[in-house]
């Protein structure tokens, strides 16, 4: 029997914990219905708890008295300040290190990766998280080998997953590792999980910070966001900013995490994504209205940024098509 420790962290997402319990309880059910013992011993763990405290039907255990775990799951954090979430979960960090050194595997789901990162457990290792949080993880923890488009990563007994439904792909990965392919397929069918997702890039939304406190960078951001459609180069767009180009680039990268050129490209690609999802404009029209003038280059940049072609993106996310599908 595998000791499966699920951390009940401060600020955890209820949906994340519920999904983890549902999937691993279901796997146990497969074994029990076949007349075999449950494969996973599910333990819900917390640093602070009162005797007899329950989470649903599970009696909570303290990390200070719990036995060595084989596999530890870190659920996603809820919306809000991740720095506060990390601060409120500091007591898990030395315990996680001790468990890992004694042979436990660690798996974080979505933004749960921030706790492993804060512990230093992801230093020098490949990791992913929710696509919209990837930049923050990379900039706050630069020693991580960031794989922002990955659905699942594995590196030296530590696993991470992308956002939301990518958590199910990591659960399937762990089930296959411990239980084999047959139980993995049964789980995938039971929860209607497509097993062929290889990247999460197209789910991302470019949401750059505006509250970094650098007025010069704000000025450059506003200029780019206002004039990105005009097809101007970044040099033309920032030429009126009262600072040298080198200074603008340095401060921009420090405040936002990307260079002005990257910011311009991502602004244009985000505009193209919106047009593909919300209008019936042709790909050529979308290209021109996003500030590009070379169709081949636009297609290449779009696929590099999102992982799919403009046509494929429209098929996945166009509102009119999806409404039509629901009506049909």
């Amino acid at each position: 029997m595998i000791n499966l420790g699920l951390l009940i962290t401060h600020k955890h997402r209820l949906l994340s914990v519920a999904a983890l319990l549902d999937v691993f309880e279901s796997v146990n059910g497969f074994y029990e219905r076949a007349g075999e013992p449950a494969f996973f011993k599910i333990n819900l763990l917390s640093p602070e708890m009162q005797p007899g405290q329950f989470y649903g039907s599970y009696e909570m255990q303290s990390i200070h008295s719990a036995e060595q775990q084989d596999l530890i799951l870190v659920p996603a954090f809820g919306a809000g300040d991740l720095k506060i979430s990390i601060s409120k979960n500091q007591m898990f960090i030395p315990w996680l290190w001790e468990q890992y050194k004694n042979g436990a595997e660690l798996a974080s789901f979505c933004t749960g990766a921030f706790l492993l990162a804060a512990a230093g457990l992801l230093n020098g290792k490949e990791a992913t998280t929710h696509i919209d949080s990837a930049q923050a993880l990379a900039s706050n923890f630069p020693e991580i080998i960031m794989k922002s488009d990955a659905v699942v990563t594995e590196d030296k007994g530590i696993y991470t997953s992308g956002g939301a439904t990518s958590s199910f792909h990591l659960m399937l990965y762990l089930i296959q590792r411990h239980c084999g392919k047959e139980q993995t397929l049964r789980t995938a069918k039971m929860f209607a999980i497509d097993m062929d997702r290889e990247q999460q890039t197209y789910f991302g939304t470019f949401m750059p910070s505006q509250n970094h406190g650098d007025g010069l960078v704000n000025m450059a951001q506003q200029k780019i966001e206002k004039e990105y459609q005009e097809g101007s180069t970044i040099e033309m767009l920032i030429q009126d900013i009262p600072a040298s180009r080198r200074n603008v680039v340095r401060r921009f990268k420090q405040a936002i995490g990307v260079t002005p050129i990257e910011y311009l490209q991502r602004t244009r690609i985000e505009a193209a994504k919106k047009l593909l999802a919300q209008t019936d404009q042709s790909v050529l029209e979308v290209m021109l209205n996003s500030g590009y003038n070379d169709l081949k280059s636009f297609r290449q940049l779009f696929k590099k940024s999102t992982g799919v072609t403009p046509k494929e993106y429209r098929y996945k996310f166009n509102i009119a098509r999806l409404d039509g599908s629901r009506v049909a």
Side-chain angles (χ1 to χ4, degrees), residues 227-275:
E227 301 180 18
Y228 71 89
Q229 290 176 297
E230 298 178 12
S232 303
T233 64
I234 194 63
E235 285 76 13
M236 295 169 63
L237 288 171
I238 66 174
Q239 64 184 353
D240 295 330
I241 304 298
S244 68
R245 185 186 187 282
R246 183 176 180 180
N247 192 29
V248 172
V249 171
R250 179 183 61 80
R251 289 170 62 173
F252 206 100
K253 183 69 181 288
Q254 186 175 31
I256 309 295
V258 297
T259 66
I261 293 175
E262 291 171 316
Y263 193 94
L264 174 60
Q265 295 286 14
R266 295 180 71 173
T267 299
R268 285 173 170 167
I269 293 297
E270 199 61 37
K273 287 160 62 179
K274 185 175 292 186
L275 291 171

Side-chain angles (χ1 to χ4, degrees), residues 129-148:
T129 186
H130 192 291
I131 189 68
D132 290 339
S133 299
Q135 183 62 51
L137 187 65
S139 59
N140 282 287
F141 305 101
E143 293 185 49
I144 294 174
I145 303 170
M146 196 66 213
K147 299 291 183 181
S148 57

